[in-house]
Amino acid sequence: MKIVRFGVSIPEELLQKFDKIINEKGYANRSEAIRDLIRDFIVRYEWEKGDMEVAGTITIVYNHDEADVVKELLDLQHEYLDEIVSSLHVHMDEHNCLEVVVVKGRASKIKEIADRLISLKGVKHGKLVMTTTGRELL
């Protein structure tokens, strides 16, 4: 793999903030941090296109006493057997549960699953965390 050097012009204050953050996060240098930012940008772009295979997690917090939320969660997970790899269930307290669903498949299908899970009645909060299978990244 050939390494290419390029210059970036940014305000000094912005660079100082960037340097502080990458130092706190433990990056060895700016180049490593910028490579990670570029990879993240590429992954998000690929997800937006919706036509490639991706991986991710859907995390939801829900009240298990609410209506039929538990049954609906299970039904949805069985409906997407090809895309749902695994799930983790945690009892947060006597009423609230955390569910983490690991998914892999076409981006458009993964977004569909996340939207359906997060919009269920009884779900208090949900988030899709997207990533790539890694095949396309350098």
Side-chain angles (χ1 to χ4, degrees), residues 118-134:
I118 292 168
S119 67
L120 286 174
K121 184 175 181 179
V123 173
K124 295 179 171 184
H125 181 256
K127 184 167 185 129
L128 169 62
V129 175
M130 48 191 161
T131 190
T132 177
T133 59

Side-chain angles (χ1 to χ4, degrees), residues 17-128:
K17 287 180 182 181
F18 184 67
D19 285 344
K20 182 177 184 243
I21 293 168
I22 65 173
N23 185 49
E24 288 176 8
K25 289 189 166 277
Y27 281 96
N29 53 54
R30 288 180 189 150
S31 293
E32 287 296 325
I34 291 170
R35 278 191 283 272
D36 276 355
L37 290 171
I38 291 171
R39 287 184 191 113
D40 186 58
F41 183 81
I42 291 168
V43 167
R44 279 193 265 158
Y45 176 77
E46 290 171 350
W47 270 78
E48 289 168 5
K49 284 182 14 181
D51 63 349
M52 69 176 306
E53 186 162 313
V54 294
T57 59
I58 305 164
T59 303
I60 57 172
V61 174
Y62 64 94
N63 180 342
H64 72 257
D65 297 323
E66 183 82 30
D68 293 327
V69 69
V70 175
K71 181 185 180 319
E72 291 180 40
L73 282 170
L74 289 174
D75 288 347
L76 271 173
Q77 290 183 41
H78 284 104
E79 186 178 333
Y80 293 102
L81 285 174
D82 292 336
E83 292 80 20
I84 294 179
V85 177
S86 180
S87 65
L88 168 70
H89 181 87
V90 178
H91 301 280
M92 303 300 286
D93 59 33
E94 56 275 354
H95 302 287
N96 296 292
C97 297
L98 171 80
E99 190 102 8
V100 179
V101 180
V102 180
V103 289
K104 183 176 147 188
R106 294 279 167 210
S108 57
K109 183 70 89 168
I110 300 306
K111 286 188 230 177
E112 174 185 312
I113 296 167
D115 289 344
R116 289 188 66 192
L117 286 172
I118 292 168
S119 67
L120 286 174
K121 184 175 181 179
V123 173
K124 295 179 171 184
H125 181 256
K127 184 167 185 129
L128 169 62

